[in-house]
Amino acid sequence: MPADRTLDWLATEPRLTKWRDSDRPEALWITGSPGQGKSILTKAIVGQLEESLKGPDVAVVYFFCYNQDPDYRTPSSVFFGNMVADEHHRKIYCVIDALDECEDPQGEFCSLLSTISLQRDSTYANAVPALEILISSRPSEGHMERNLKDFPRWNLHANKQDLDLYVHSKLAELPAELTTKQKDLVETLFRMVVLMDIDRNAETCSNQGGDDL
């Protein structure tokens, strides 16, 4: 659960509002190394869409891929999980988190997403329903990069304001009897650990390179 007031900036993030508010089909690819908050972000985006875009003519469909569970790591799982929409909708928002954890060795699923997304630049751009695709993943140099290279991209990094709020929420859980000096020391050490963890995840992802997805 994110700390209170984190992600408040999301409602006015220009890359997201352009994708969300467009009258034409749009796509957005959020990339970032582990620990940058991609899944937390996509969950928040889904929550905001469901809260602010209620109506019979708008559908919000989503899937969170997870490579440790066979029910959550195949293209068929993505389509037949809870992604249900029909032609009666004016607009469909499709959010897929952790696409790099979806089994797609030949890149066929990524190619399909690319083909669907290309309608935004075609004569079908004004077709109903308009499909807005948002995906998140680790950086990839394989099939995903080749097939989704034309997707507008948002390279995600941990947000400093959210990091401060998270640290302070954890400090609020400390025993009341600690002195101010002790709390300051704990805060310094905690920040160091969080930042080191983020940097280590980013370095690991960089060393591993992109999956052949």
Side-chain angles (χ1 to χ4, degrees):
M1 180 70 68
D4 289 343
R5 305 198 315 280
T6 56
L7 299 175
D8 282 355
W9 50 270
L10 195 57
T12 56
E13 162 58 44
R15 286 161 292 200
L16 185 62
T17 56
K18 180 179 184 296
W19 169 79
R20 182 192 65 206
D21 299 337
S22 175
D23 292 329
R24 297 165 59 86
E26 284 289 345
L28 182 60
W29 182 10
I30 301 174
T31 63
S33 58
Q36 302 298 326
K38 298 184 299 298
S39 291
I40 291 175
L41 183 70
T42 52
K43 288 177 183 177
I45 290 171
V46 168
Q48 287 191 2
L49 291 173
E50 291 184 324
E51 180 64 28
S52 62
L53 299 173
K54 294 179 179 178
D57 60 342
V58 176
V60 179
V61 295
Y62 52 87
F63 194 85
F64 291 81
C65 303
Y66 181 50
N67 61 11
Q68 300 301 310
D69 189 329
D71 292 333
Y72 290 87
R73 67 187 186 202
T74 64
S76 59
S77 299
V78 175
F79 276 115
F80 298 112
N82 64 347
M83 299 181 68
V84 179
D86 59 43
E87 68 276 7
H88 299 296
H89 293 111
R90 174 181 57 84
K91 181 174 285 192
I92 301 171
Y93 292 92
C94 174
V95 178
I96 304 174
D97 179 63
L99 184 60
D100 55 288
E101 298 195 28
C102 178
E103 294 178 347
D104 187 23
Q106 302 303 318
E108 295 175 351
F109 185 48
C110 286
S111 178
L112 174 61
L113 289 176
S114 177
T115 300
I116 294 173
S117 176
L118 286 176
Q119 67 174 303
R120 70 183 189 276
D121 298 320
S122 72
T123 56
Y124 299 100
N126 294 319
V128 176
L131 180 63
E132 316 291 349
I133 300 176
L134 182 148
I135 63 175
S136 75
S137 75
R138 295 183 303 167
S140 174
E141 298 175 357
H143 295 304
M144 187 184 299
E145 177 65 33
R146 290 192 293 273
N147 285 304
L148 304 183
K149 64 181 184 301
D150 294 328
F151 272 45
R153 192 174 308 191
W154 175 1
N155 295 315
L156 186 66
H157 300 282
N159 182 277
K160 184 181 183 301
Q161 180 180 351
D162 286 351
L163 180 59
D164 289 341
L165 290 168
Y166 174 71
V167 170
H168 287 300
S169 72
K170 293 301 181 183
L171 292 176
E173 300 174 3
L174 293 174
E177 58 268 21
L178 289 183
T179 66
T180 299
K181 188 172 183 179
Q182 288 173 320
K183 290 182 178 180
D184 288 343
L185 177 60
V186 172
E187 178 177 356
T188 299
L189 293 173
F190 187 70
R191 285 182 181 276
M192 289 177 59
V193 170
V194 171
L195 292 174
M196 286 173 61
D197 188 49
I198 291 174
D199 290 341
R200 183 171 61 252
N201 285 329
E203 183 178 357
T204 299
C205 185
S206 177
N207 289 337
Q208 290 175 344
D211 296 332
D212 191 24
L213 182 66

